[in-house]
Amino acid sequence: MSTPAGPGTPPPPPPYPPSPPRTDPPRWAWWVGGIAIPLVGILVTVAFGGKDSGPVAAPAPGTVDSATQPASPSPSGMPSSKEPEPPAPSDEAPSASASASASPAADLTAPDGYAKALSTMWGLAPVPCTQHEQQLIDLDDGTSRTEDENNGAVQEPGGAELLYWPDTCTGLGDYQLRALPNTRVGLLRVDAPKSFDSCRAAAGTGFGALALSERNDREDRGFVEGAALCSVTDKGTVAMAVIEHISGDAVDDVSVSGPLHVWAATP
């Protein structure tokens, strides 16, 4: 019980108004919100952005993405590895030996007045010039013989058409080939038809001395693999000596060989 104030005593101060009710969320609400908000964001991202594949790493330099390359179907229907590209064609000019592939096949048909063509072999096989030998070739049958070398002069032609002799005998390749005097011999070029008619016509063109060790001279004259020496012999035979193989160079004397086709005249 309060004591009544006496006369002259001031009245007591009025009481403080009550505090308004607290509206701040409790601390546990902040803790729950800190977890719930990020969780909702993750769920939204998964729900609406899950179809995006995200950034793709760029391939390393020099690698090939095989999945983007068209695969060639194999016979079994399975994709096979990429076929290698064919090599680029060469720009080099064909050599003289390669030109033989352009030589047409020989037509050995015999015309009236000539027997069926006979085929054998012929060749040039020089010996060292110090042996002082020269070679004579008879194109009636391809046989050859030797005699003493005499600066290209022939002692006994014996029906031969070709002479192969050492010119200077300096130790290097210096054999020369020529037709003997009073014979009908000529060169049938590599791209000409290999037939009776073309060979008989070529025989009348003549064949002068040729240094076989000089490759440029041989090629300029057309004495290359696939060409032929043609002759109408002293017996009336038409002979076609095909140049099938040439070996040797400026140091080693040149050897020549090939088939010989002969059309003998019939009585």
Side-chain angles (χ1 to χ4, degrees):
M1 175 180 279
S2 59
T3 304
T9 301
Y16 290 100
S19 299
R22 185 168 180 170
T23 60
D24 295 336
R27 292 183 178 178
W28 62 267
W30 290 107
W31 181 79
V32 172
I35 296 177
I37 293 175
L39 181 59
V40 171
I42 293 174
L43 294 176
V44 172
T45 301
V46 172
F48 296 98
K51 296 182 180 180
D52 294 338
S53 59
V56 179
T63 62
V64 177
D65 185 2
S66 60
T68 61
Q69 300 296 327
S72 300
S74 64
S76 61
M78 298 298 291
S80 60
S81 59
K82 186 178 180 181
E83 295 290 338
E85 295 183 0
S90 174
D91 293 334
E92 296 181 359
S95 62
S97 60
S99 65
S101 62
S103 175
D107 177 8
L108 303 183
T109 303
D112 293 340
Y114 288 84
K116 179 181 178 180
L118 298 178
S119 297
T120 182
M121 298 293 292
W122 78 289
L124 305 174
V127 298
C129 65
T130 53
Q131 295 187 22
H132 305 289
E133 288 184 3
Q134 59 189 19
Q135 182 183 10
L136 295 97
I137 300 94
D138 189 339
L139 294 179
D140 282 299
D141 53 14
T143 57
S144 65
R145 60 184 177 86
T146 60
E147 66 176 26
D148 291 340
E149 183 270 329
N150 185 21
N151 295 321
V154 177
Q155 302 170 13
E156 296 291 338
E161 283 76 38
L162 297 173
L163 173 66
Y164 196 38
W165 86 102
D167 186 25
T168 60
C169 196
T170 59
L172 300 177
D174 62 354
Y175 268 77
Q176 300 209 23
L177 177 68
R178 68 176 175 89
L180 288 174
N182 303 316
T183 59
R184 293 179 60 188
V185 178
L187 183 68
L188 185 64
R189 300 188 69 87
V190 66
D191 54 351
K194 302 296 185 295
S195 65
F196 176 92
D197 289 336
S198 60
C199 193
R200 183 171 59 178
T205 60
F207 187 76
L210 173 63
L212 293 191
S213 60
E214 299 294 334
R215 180 171 181 174
N216 290 338
D217 292 348
R218 294 200 315 260
E219 294 181 356
D220 289 344
R221 289 273 297 272
F223 193 96
V224 297
E225 293 174 354
L229 288 173
C230 288
S231 176
V232 176
T233 72
D234 58 337
K235 297 178 180 179
T237 297
V238 175
M240 180 168 61
V242 179
I243 305 167
E244 186 176 68
H245 182 70
I246 302 175
S247 63
D249 50 30
V251 177
D252 301 320
D253 289 309
V254 174
S255 296
V256 181
S257 62
L260 173 66
H261 306 296
V262 178
W263 292 271
T266 57

